[in-house]
Amino acid sequence: MSITKIAVGFCDWLNKVSPRDPEENKVIQYGMELFLDNIIKIIVILFIGVVLGKGFESVVILFTFCSLRLQAGGIHAKTNLGCGFSALLIWAISILGDLFFDVKVSFLPFIYIVSLSIIVCCVPRTINIEHFSPQDKLRKKINSIIVLTLMMSVAFLNPALRDLIIYPVILEVLTLLPKNKINIKGEYL
């Protein structure tokens, strides 16, 4: 059964409980498809992590990346497959970074300042930017700063989690930088 069929079935069930107009159903179906697609990606990455003996590490990486991503946004892949591959790549780089390259505590202030600067200049970066009010944009920026500060604080205070937090933070912040044709028109991808 495909994600679309599940989402359509969910909308049909919702309409039996509380009828909605077709436009609202499209929005709910789209949201359900996104939700299911992302849940599947997370489950696949967690499964791979568990099989490799890196289940806890995978949870920390995904929690860190997704927490900041939800607030800050960032560039999006053109396809679901590209998105899944990108998420897997972010996870793999973070796992390998944790295994082979220790981030020294002395680098944390530099990483924080650079990340904070990029967040202040670039957040929110989303394909839905035209639907954001100035207050929404400010809220996303402030929330991104709060999440970044919390993550960096945990990384500073807990050396065992440092690399598992820093690598996904850096990778998410880097997704805020790319510009493309759509960005030039004032929208963000």
Side-chain angles (χ1 to χ4, degrees), residues 39-103:
I39 290 296
I40 290 169
K41 288 175 199 161
I42 289 170
I43 289 170
V44 167
I45 292 171
L46 288 175
F47 178 76
I48 293 169
V50 168
V51 167
L52 296 176
K54 297 291 181 187
F56 174 76
E57 294 87 343
S58 298
V59 169
V60 173
I61 290 165
L62 289 172
F63 177 80
T64 301
F65 181 81
C66 293
S67 295
L68 191 53
R69 179 83 171 176
L70 283 170
Q71 297 306 315
I75 194 165
H76 289 271
K78 292 181 181 181
T79 66
N80 284 336
L81 186 60
C83 179
F85 178 74
S86 298
L88 190 60
L89 186 62
I90 287 165
W91 168 82
I93 291 169
S94 298
I95 289 286
L96 292 172
D98 178 52
L99 289 173
F100 298 111
F101 304 104
D102 288 336
V103 177

Side-chain angles (χ1 to χ4, degrees), residues 62-176:
L62 289 172
F63 177 80
T64 301
F65 181 81
C66 293
S67 295
L68 191 53
R69 179 83 171 176
L70 283 170
Q71 297 306 315
I75 194 165
H76 289 271
K78 292 181 181 181
T79 66
N80 284 336
L81 186 60
C83 179
F85 178 74
S86 298
L88 190 60
L89 186 62
I90 287 165
W91 168 82
I93 291 169
S94 298
I95 289 286
L96 292 172
D98 178 52
L99 289 173
F100 298 111
F101 304 104
D102 288 336
V103 177
K104 304 295 181 213
V105 74
S106 59
F107 291 147
L108 294 184
F110 174 74
I111 293 168
Y112 179 73
I113 290 168
V114 170
S115 298
L116 184 64
S117 300
I118 292 170
I119 284 172
V120 167
C121 293
C122 298
V123 168
R125 189 148 287 175
T126 175
I127 58 174
N128 299 317
I129 195 73
E130 70 273 3
H131 301 295
F132 282 50
S133 70
Q135 294 83 9
D136 292 334
K137 292 175 186 177
L138 179 61
R139 185 177 41 83
K140 285 288 193 182
K141 194 174 298 280
I142 291 169
N143 289 344
S144 296
I145 292 168
I146 291 168
V147 170
L148 173 69
T149 303
L150 289 172
M151 295 298 177
M152 295 300 288
S153 298
V154 172
F156 179 79
L157 295 171
N158 191 332
L161 296 178
R162 183 172 301 138
D163 298 337
L164 296 172
I165 292 171
I166 294 301
Y167 285 108
V169 163
I170 291 170
L171 293 168
E172 165 52 20
V173 168
L174 289 175
T175 71
L176 297 169

